Amino acid sequence: MCWYCGSSIKDPEPIGRQLRCPDCGKDLRSCMHCRHNLKDGCKEAQAEKIQDKERANFCDWFSLDGRFRQEGKPQAGAAASDSAKAAFNNLFS
């Protein structure tokens, strides 16, 4: 799913540099979707420093983060989030 809008990513890997989210238009081959992404850098010490983590790049270390893979079923985090929301809403009904 897209890091920005949550839309499902159905494109097979490898993710090409030209691919964009069908809903919001954000680049899919960006640091934001990479498993090596850290808030202040990259887990791969050999990777170049990327200035704009939201834009497509040519990083050789790019690998789609498992949290964003679409496998036809809700992600574990999404299911837990939905369950927590339902429990919260039940408090007020």
Side-chain angles (χ1 to χ4, degrees):
M1 65 188 206
C2 175
W3 69 270
Y4 187 77
C5 71
S7 173
S8 64
I9 297 174
K10 296 180 182 170
D11 296 298
E13 286 193 68
I15 301 291
R17 187 174 185 278
Q18 302 291 331
L19 289 177
R20 297 180 183 270
C21 174
D23 292 334
C24 69
K26 294 285 185 180
D27 293 320
L28 295 181
R29 187 184 177 98
S30 68
C31 294
M32 298 305 291
H33 284 117
C34 184
R35 71 181 178 102
H36 302 294
N37 184 34
L38 296 173
K39 182 177 179 181
D40 59 344
C42 182
K43 292 178 190 174
E44 279 297 331
Q46 298 172 346
E48 290 182 35
K49 180 163 175 63
I50 304 294
Q51 296 298 320
D52 188 351
K53 293 176 131 195
E54 294 181 15
R55 300 208 48 211
N57 57 61
F58 291 103
C59 182
D60 291 331
W61 300 101
F62 178 84
S63 178
L64 186 63
D65 190 323
R67 296 175 295 161
F68 301 115
R69 285 196 175 94
Q70 179 64 27
E71 298 175 7
K73 59 184 181 225
Q75 304 292 329
S81 175
D82 291 343
S83 175
K85 286 178 188 175
F88 178 78
N89 289 334
N90 287 339
L91 292 173
F92 300 102
S93 40

